[in-house]
Amino acid sequence: MLQNLRVFASPAELADAAAGEFYLRARRACDEGRIFTCALSGGSTPLRLYRRMADGDFLARLPAEFWNSVHFFWGDEREVPADHADSNFRMAREALLDRIEIPRENIHRIQTELRPASAAASMYEHALVEFFGLHQGKLPRFDLILLGLGDDGHVASLFPHSEALQDQAHLVASPWVAKFSSFRITLTLPVLNNAACILFLVQGSSKSGILHRVLASAPPYNPLPAQAIRPGSGELLWFVDEAAAADLRSLGYRA
Ligand code: 6PG
């Protein structure tokens, strides 16, 4: 049985639990006088989570200064303007950021208006170096990184066979993604694997096959991107719903 796997009856319960996990960790940091850094994921799965995080029952329990200590980043972004329908930033802004009292300077979006994508990646990398006070060769350590699981096993915008998967020299990459005929901007594996906690959110029957493939097999010689996520000194949590977990019975999970 996978110790770090939690299965929830529905996407709503998954979102509720993920919101609780976020606030548990962020509140601990706030109470200890520390900042809390969280890299948000994109796609459709986290939308319910972001809306849940902005619900009154969570917000009402927060100390007044809570949001001053929280800083949001993104794990990846599409090469579209910040107000584009496909923007991961726009999705989070509408579902969460516009509904909470967080200082604007605590929101560190990827500036996709910078072209080409490599310029946006370089600027984001510079922002990370500045914010985390990184010396040459050092990695940022996010308190929490949210990740989804693509149906091909991609994470953030690290897709199978992408050269960006081998990038050990940068914090941020801007790979060409053939399946979308576009560039993406993404945190690289060294940054992802340096997180204090990585929380995968996976929902829906369309993900049951890839989730089984990622979790059931030991990482092969050329692992899927999701199998390359192994935080060296951090936690790896999987929050999935029943539909996505349907094929995990071979791992000892029983509905
Ligand atoms: C993106 C995401 C991407 C996403 C997966 C899963 O920019 O699209 O960062 O990595 O998490 O593709 O997407 P869904 O949640 O929509 O299935």
Side-chain angles (χ1 to χ4, degrees):
M1 186 68 172
L2 282 153
Q3 299 309 314
N4 58 353
L5 173 75
R6 291 179 62 186
V7 181
F8 301 91
S10 67
E13 290 184 38
L14 167 56
D16 187 67
E21 191 71 27
F22 168 84
Y23 282 114
L24 176 71
R25 293 170 181 271
R27 181 66 188 269
R28 188 184 303 149
C30 176
D31 293 347
E32 293 169 1
R34 293 184 290 111
I35 62 165
F36 185 79
T37 55
C38 176
L40 300 174
S41 69
S44 57
T45 298
L47 178 59
R48 197 185 297 264
L49 163 61
Y50 299 157
R51 286 174 175 158
R52 183 70 184 96
M53 286 168 63
D55 282 343
D57 58 326
F58 278 115
L59 301 185
R61 296 198 295 254
L62 301 176
E65 74 284 359
F66 174 80
W67 291 113
N68 294 337
S69 60
V70 176
H71 287 259
F72 285 120
F73 298 79
W74 275 261
D76 73 318
E77 187 56 277
R78 292 85 181 274
E79 195 192 19
V80 295
D83 59 357
H84 191 280
D86 292 343
S87 166
N88 289 338
F89 165 77
R90 174 178 164 178
M91 184 264 276
R93 180 178 59 74
E94 291 177 342
L96 172 61
L97 303 176
D98 284 352
R99 301 170 60 203
I100 59 177
E101 299 296 319
I102 188 168
R104 294 294 103 178
E105 60 270 21
N106 289 24
I107 299 169
H108 309 268
R109 72 176 177 88
I110 299 170
Q111 295 172 284
T112 51
E113 62 274 20
L114 298 173
R115 294 296 170 98
S118 56
S122 298
M123 180 61 76
Y124 192 48
E125 175 149 341
H126 177 73
L128 294 176
V129 169
E130 286 292 298
F131 180 85
F132 286 93
L134 302 176
H135 298 296
Q136 182 66 28
K138 296 299 183 186
L139 295 168
R141 183 169 173 78
F142 284 94
D143 293 295
L144 177 62
I145 296 181
L146 303 179
L147 290 178
L149 175 63
D151 51 15
D152 57 0
H154 77 261
V155 295
S157 284
L158 297 170
F159 287 78
H161 317 300
S162 168
E163 287 180 9
L165 288 164
Q166 314 309 323
D167 190 337
Q168 299 286 319
H170 299 94
L171 308 181
V172 185
S174 53
W176 173 257
V177 182
K179 77 187 290 188
F180 298 121
S181 298
S182 71
F183 285 98
R184 290 282 188 94
I185 297 101
T186 184
L187 295 179
T188 56
L189 278 179
V191 176
L192 297 176
N193 282 327
N194 197 48
C197 178
I198 286 185
L199 173 56
F200 270 100
L201 304 174
V202 189
Q203 72 185 33
S205 56
S206 68
K207 298 292 175 73
S208 62
I210 189 63
L211 185 62
H212 176 270
R213 184 175 167 198
V214 167
L215 295 183
S217 56
Y221 172 70
N222 59 333
L224 290 166
Q227 292 174 314
I229 297 298
R230 293 189 298 278
S233 56
E235 298 174 77
L236 175 59
L237 306 176
W238 291 85
F239 282 16
V240 307
D241 71 354
E242 289 275 2
D247 295 353
L248 294 185
R249 288 175 180 75
S250 64
L251 300 183
Y253 166 68
R254 290 286 179 272

